[in-house]
Coordinates of all heavy atoms in Angstrom, one line a residue:
M286 N -5.4 -131.0 -95.7 CA -6.3 -130.9 -96.8 C -7.2 -129.7 -96.6 O -7.5 -128.9 -97.5 CB -7.2 -132.1 -96.9 CG -6.5 -133.3 -97.4 SD -6.1 -133.1 -99.2 CE -7.7 -133.1 -99.9
A287 N -7.5 -129.4 -95.3 CA -8.4 -128.3 -95.0 C -7.7 -126.9 -95.4 O -8.2 -126.0 -95.9 CB -8.8 -128.2 -93.6
E288 N -6.4 -126.9 -95.0 CA -5.6 -125.7 -95.3 C -5.5 -125.5 -96.8 O -5.6 -124.4 -97.3 CB -4.2 -125.8 -94.7 CG -3.3 -124.6 -94.9 CD -2.0 -124.8 -94.3 OE1 -1.8 -125.7 -93.6 OE2 -1.1 -123.9 -94.5
K289 N -5.3 -126.6 -97.5 CA -5.2 -126.5 -99.0 C -6.5 -126.0 -99.6 O -6.5 -125.2 -100.5 CB -4.8 -127.8 -99.6 CG -4.6 -127.8 -101.1 CD -4.1 -129.2 -101.6 CE -3.9 -129.1 -103.1 NZ -3.5 -130.5 -103.6
K290 N -7.6 -126.4 -99.1 CA -8.9 -126.0 -99.6 C -9.2 -124.5 -99.3 O -9.7 -123.8 -100.2 CB -10.0 -126.9 -99.0 CG -11.4 -126.6 -99.6 CD -12.4 -127.6 -99.0 CE -13.8 -127.3 -99.6 NZ -14.7 -128.3 -99.0
E291 N -8.7 -124.1 -98.1 CA -8.9 -122.7 -97.8 C -8.2 -121.7 -98.7 O -8.7 -120.6 -99.0 CB -8.5 -122.4 -96.3 CG -9.4 -123.1 -95.3 CD -8.9 -122.8 -93.9 OE1 -7.8 -122.2 -93.8 OE2 -9.5 -123.3 -93.0
K292 N -7.1 -122.1 -99.3 CA -6.3 -121.2 -100.2 C -6.9 -121.1 -101.5 O -6.5 -120.3 -102.3 CB -4.9 -121.8 -100.3 CG -4.1 -121.6 -99.0 CD -2.7 -122.1 -99.1 CE -1.9 -121.9 -97.9 NZ -0.5 -122.4 -98.0
K293 N -8.0 -121.9 -101.8 CA -8.6 -121.8 -103.2 C -9.4 -120.6 -103.4 O -9.7 -120.3 -104.5 CB -9.4 -123.1 -103.4 CG -8.6 -124.3 -103.6 CD -9.5 -125.5 -104.0 CE -8.7 -126.8 -104.2 NZ -9.5 -127.9 -104.6
F294 N -9.8 -119.9 -102.3 CA -10.6 -118.7 -102.5 C -10.3 -117.7 -101.4 O -9.7 -118.1 -100.4 CB -12.1 -119.0 -102.6 CG -12.7 -119.7 -101.4 CD1 -13.1 -118.9 -100.3 CD2 -12.8 -121.0 -101.3 CE1 -13.7 -119.5 -99.2 CE2 -13.3 -121.6 -100.2 CZ -13.8 -120.9 -99.1
L295 N -10.6 -116.5 -101.6 CA -10.4 -115.4 -100.7 C -11.7 -115.1 -99.9 O -12.7 -114.9 -100.6 CB -9.9 -114.1 -101.5 CG -9.9 -112.8 -100.7 CD1 -8.8 -112.9 -99.7 CD2 -9.7 -111.7 -101.7
T296 N -11.6 -115.0 -98.6 CA -12.8 -114.7 -97.8 C -12.6 -113.3 -97.3 O -11.6 -112.9 -96.7 CB -12.9 -115.7 -96.6 OG1 -13.1 -117.0 -97.1 CG2 -14.1 -115.3 -95.8
V297 N -13.7 -112.5 -97.5 CA -13.6 -111.1 -97.0 C -14.6 -111.0 -95.9 O -15.8 -111.3 -96.0 CB -14.0 -110.1 -98.1 CG1 -14.0 -108.7 -97.6 CG2 -13.1 -110.2 -99.3
R305 N -5.9 -106.5 -103.8 CA -4.8 -107.2 -104.2 C -4.0 -106.4 -105.2 O -4.5 -105.7 -106.0 CB -5.3 -108.5 -104.9 CG -5.7 -109.6 -103.9 CD -6.1 -110.9 -104.4 NE -5.9 -111.1 -105.9 CZ -6.4 -112.1 -106.6 NH1 -7.3 -112.9 -106.0 NH2 -6.2 -112.2 -107.8
F323 N -19.4 -116.3 -103.6 CA -20.5 -116.8 -102.9 C -20.8 -115.9 -101.7 O -19.8 -115.4 -101.1 CB -20.3 -118.3 -102.5 CG -19.4 -118.5 -101.3 CD1 -19.9 -118.4 -100.0 CD2 -18.0 -118.8 -101.5 CE1 -19.0 -118.6 -98.9 CE2 -17.2 -118.9 -100.4 CZ -17.7 -118.9 -99.1
F386 N -20.7 -120.9 -105.4 CA -20.0 -119.9 -106.2 C -20.8 -119.6 -107.5 O -21.2 -120.5 -108.2 CB -18.6 -120.4 -106.6 CG -17.6 -120.1 -105.5 CD1 -17.1 -121.2 -104.7 CD2 -17.1 -118.8 -105.3 CE1 -16.2 -120.9 -103.7 CE2 -16.1 -118.6 -104.4 CZ -15.7 -119.6 -103.5
H434 N -19.8 -112.7 -94.4 CA -18.6 -113.1 -95.2 C -19.0 -113.3 -96.6 O -20.0 -113.8 -97.0 CB -18.0 -114.3 -94.6 CG -17.3 -114.1 -93.3 ND1 -17.9 -113.9 -92.1 CD2 -15.9 -114.0 -93.0 CE1 -17.1 -113.7 -91.1 NE2 -15.8 -113.7 -91.6
V435 N -18.0 -112.9 -97.5 CA -18.1 -113.2 -98.9 C -16.9 -113.9 -99.4 O -15.8 -113.5 -99.0 CB -18.3 -111.9 -99.7 CG1 -18.4 -112.1 -101.2 CG2 -19.6 -111.1 -99.3
G436 N -17.0 -114.9 -100.2 CA -15.9 -115.6 -100.7 C -15.7 -115.3 -102.2 O -16.7 -115.2 -103.0
Y437 N -14.5 -115.0 -102.6 CA -14.1 -114.7 -104.0 C -13.1 -115.7 -104.5 O -12.2 -116.1 -103.7 CB -13.5 -113.3 -104.1 CG -14.5 -112.2 -103.8 CD1 -14.6 -111.7 -102.5 CD2 -15.3 -111.7 -104.8 CE1 -15.5 -110.7 -102.2 CE2 -16.2 -110.6 -104.4 CZ -16.3 -110.1 -103.2 OH -17.2 -109.1 -102.8
R438 N -13.1 -116.1 -105.8 CA -12.1 -116.9 -106.4 C -12.0 -116.6 -107.9 O -12.9 -116.0 -108.4 CB -12.3 -118.4 -106.1 CG -13.5 -119.0 -106.9 CD -13.6 -120.4 -106.6 NE -14.7 -121.0 -107.4 CZ -15.2 -122.3 -107.2 NH1 -14.7 -123.0 -106.1 NH2 -16.2 -122.7 -107.9
N439 N -10.9 -117.0 -108.5 CA -10.8 -116.9 -110.0 C -11.0 -115.4 -110.4 O -11.7 -115.1 -111.3 CB -11.6 -117.8 -110.7 CG -11.3 -119.3 -110.5 OD1 -10.2 -119.6 -110.2 ND2 -12.3 -120.1 -110.6

Side-chain angles (χ1 to χ4, degrees):
M286 287 294 291
E288 182 180 353
K289 184 176 180 181
K290 185 175 181 180
E291 288 177 0
K292 291 182 179 179
K293 288 185 178 180
F294 60 87
L295 169 69
T296 301
V297 179
R305 284 180 14 192
F323 76 84
F386 276 104
H434 285 77
V435 179
Y437 296 91
R438 72 181 183 189
N439 297 329

